[in-house]
Amino acid sequence: MSGPGDSLGAARELLREFPVVDGHNDLPWALREQVGYDLDARDIAADQSAALHTDLARLREGCVGAQYWSVYVPYQQPYPLAATLEQIDCVRQLLDRYPGDLRAAHTAGDLEAARAEGRIASLMGAEGGHSIENSLGALRMLYALGVRYMTLTHNSNVDWADSATDEPLHGGLTAFGRAVVREMNREGMLVDLSHVADTTMRDALDASAAPVIFSHSSARAVCDHPRNIPDDVLERLPANGGVAMATFVPKFVLQAAVDWTVEADENLRAHGFHHLDTTPEAMKVHRAFEEAHPRPRATVSTVADHLDHMREAAGVDHIGIGGDYDGTAFTPDGLRDVAGYPNLVAELLDRGWSREDLAKVTWHNAVRVLGDAESVARDLRSTTSASHATITALDA
């Protein structure tokens, strides 16, 4: 009978061949917030475990083969397009600084080349449609700079799409929102439906000619949080070809943590902080609250429960992993930082998942969906011209 060490060893062996493609990591924003992009002050070639979930050694320990770096900016950010460009510049600085470990990746072929070279393929995802400032030209320029997915909303509605965590305004996508999806298809930019309202998910699936992704969302049926994916949407992914990448954020994966987070968020706001603030001052308030009200703890098993359900609802060809490291204050036990992915694979091996299926979850599905988006884009560009639609014309 095999023990935990045997499973972990088998997990590492599998991941050496089929490393993790992770859908979402907020390191660029953490670097902006903590050190103003001073990469000498947060050199990820050194141990940064006191300040970050991510550094190069832990990425290697976690068997990460490809990472979508989020170029997120808050909805309230003045001049969000300019701030998004600064985030892209941060990723480019990381690539220039650490060429032996990180490799720029824009295509499915680039992911495979990075794997062959033993480097970590580095892609970018924009988190929130506010980053394009209602301009399809800006969308195309983000693609030209290397952005390979855009999350249609973040925590707030945008002018053309409803968010999961805001009051409904549009009933899903507006006409301009559908034009955004079509232009993303034409460019080859993946439509990311994490953070969006259920109505937006369904409208985007109706509008998209290419597979969609959820870069960091788990199963609503397992944990009833609006950031998670309802079963009827998961069940549409086989026909669409998309991939839902399970997230690790405790308040999205563990129901007791959802309830605790509501109280913790109210406490932060009562002390004058935004509920998503992860600055040292805000975290001090968080820790004091936690001492008085112990936080329910998610575990590796909690995340595996979501993947079990997502496999049942969507099929093993349509699921992946999106940890959301450096974008969350708390992480599950066993998945403390980017070094933890082998623990999740070991848990799934213990549950009877096959090596073939796990290789799909860690590597093949994410590579395939990017390649499929590229193929759709080639076809669309051969028959359609770039759109110059405006929100004023379409949503008047």
Side-chain angles (χ1 to χ4, degrees):
M1 186 176 187
S2 63
D6 297 325
S7 298
L8 187 57
R12 291 189 183 282
E13 182 182 358
L14 183 151
L15 288 168
R16 278 193 288 272
E17 186 174 358
F18 303 108
V20 170
V21 181
D22 182 89
H24 193 89
N25 184 302
D26 278 298
L27 176 64
W29 188 256
L31 292 171
R32 179 186 178 111
E33 288 285 277
Q34 292 183 17
V35 294
Y37 299 131
D38 181 350
L39 301 187
D40 291 325
R42 282 288 183 273
D43 181 2
I44 62 168
D47 178 14
Q48 295 297 337
S49 57
L52 298 167
H53 293 144
T54 308
D55 55 45
L56 294 175
R58 285 180 290 165
L59 286 167
R60 295 295 194 181
E61 185 180 350
C63 304
V64 176
Q67 181 65 67
Y68 278 95
W69 303 110
S70 175
V71 292
Y72 157 81
V73 300
Y75 179 79
Q76 299 83 4
Q77 179 76 30
Y79 310 109
L81 177 57
T84 302
L85 295 176
E86 291 168 353
Q87 288 280 82
I88 292 170
D89 179 62
C90 175
V91 174
R92 288 191 163 191
Q93 289 184 58
L94 290 169
L95 291 167
D96 289 344
R97 188 178 177 109
Y98 308 109
D101 291 287
L102 305 179
R103 183 194 199 277
H106 301 133
T107 67
D110 290 342
L111 270 72
E112 293 291 5
R115 179 170 68 140
E117 296 164 0
R119 292 194 286 171
I120 300 165
S122 293
L123 309 99
M124 290 181 281
E127 190 175 19
H130 55 283
S131 285
I132 64 169
E133 296 187 12
N134 298 335
S135 165
L136 297 182
L139 173 71
R140 288 188 288 271
M141 288 300 96
L142 291 187
Y143 183 85
L145 290 171
V147 174
R148 286 301 177 264
Y149 75 65
M150 184 173 74
T151 320
L152 299 187
T153 74
H154 190 238
N155 290 328
S156 301
N157 299 334
V158 295
D159 292 337
W160 41 268
D162 283 343
S163 168
T165 48
D166 201 349
E167 292 298 318
L169 180 63
H170 309 296
L173 287 176
T174 69
F176 185 73
R178 291 189 289 276
V180 170
V181 168
R182 288 192 295 270
E183 199 63 14
M184 292 175 73
N185 291 166
R186 187 183 175 279
E187 287 296 306
M189 185 184 290
L190 289 161
V191 176
D192 178 22
L193 300 181
S194 286
H195 280 286
V196 308
D198 297 358
T199 49
T200 305
M201 296 178 193
R202 297 179 187 117
D203 283 355
L205 282 163
D206 290 342
S208 184
V212 303
I213 63 165
F214 291 82
S215 65
H216 57 307
S217 296
S218 292
R220 182 88 57 87
V222 178
C223 181
D224 188 13
H225 191 287
R227 271 283 281 104
N228 288 331
I229 314 166
D231 275 1
D232 73 285
V233 173
L234 285 169
E235 290 164 0
R236 291 185 63 176
L237 291 182
N240 167 266
V243 174
M245 307 172 95
T247 194
F248 302 167
V249 180
K251 66 182 179 180
F252 301 153
V253 298
L254 181 66
Q255 193 62 48
V258 174
D259 301 335
W260 181 89
T261 299
V262 170
E263 297 179 14
D265 288 351
E266 290 173 354
N267 180 66
L268 267 181
R269 286 189 287 266
H271 284 81
F273 295 100
H274 188 275
H275 68 278
L276 295 177
D277 196 334
T278 57
T279 59
E281 296 80 8
M283 292 307 295
K284 183 178 179 181
V285 173
H286 254 310
R287 284 190 292 272
F289 179 84
E290 187 175 357
E291 287 178 8
H293 310 275
R295 175 171 53 91
R297 304 190 73 86
T299 66
V300 174
S301 180
T302 310
V303 176
D305 289 343
H306 282 267
L307 284 165
D308 277 343
H309 182 83
M310 293 163 76
R311 178 177 64 166
E312 181 178 345
V316 75
D317 295 314
H318 302 285
I319 55 177
I321 295 170
D324 203 8
Y325 285 116
D326 283 309
T328 178
F330 305 113
T331 53
D333 293 344
L335 295 169
R336 180 173 178 268
D337 54 31
V338 295
Y341 298 101
N343 296 328
L344 177 59
V345 173
E347 172 70 20
L348 295 172
L349 283 168
D350 285 341
R351 293 182 181 212
W353 285 55
S354 70
R355 191 175 189 277
E356 179 185 10
D357 283 355
L358 286 168
K360 292 178 179 181
V361 173
T362 60
W363 182 261
H364 290 305
N365 292 346
V367 175
R368 172 189 54 78
V369 77
L370 181 60
D372 288 350
E374 294 165 24
S375 178
V376 170
R378 281 192 295 271
D379 291 343
L380 289 174
R381 286 197 301 270
S382 71
T383 59
T384 61
S385 299
S387 172
H388 298 284
T390 66
I391 194 167
T392 303
L394 293 184
D395 291 346

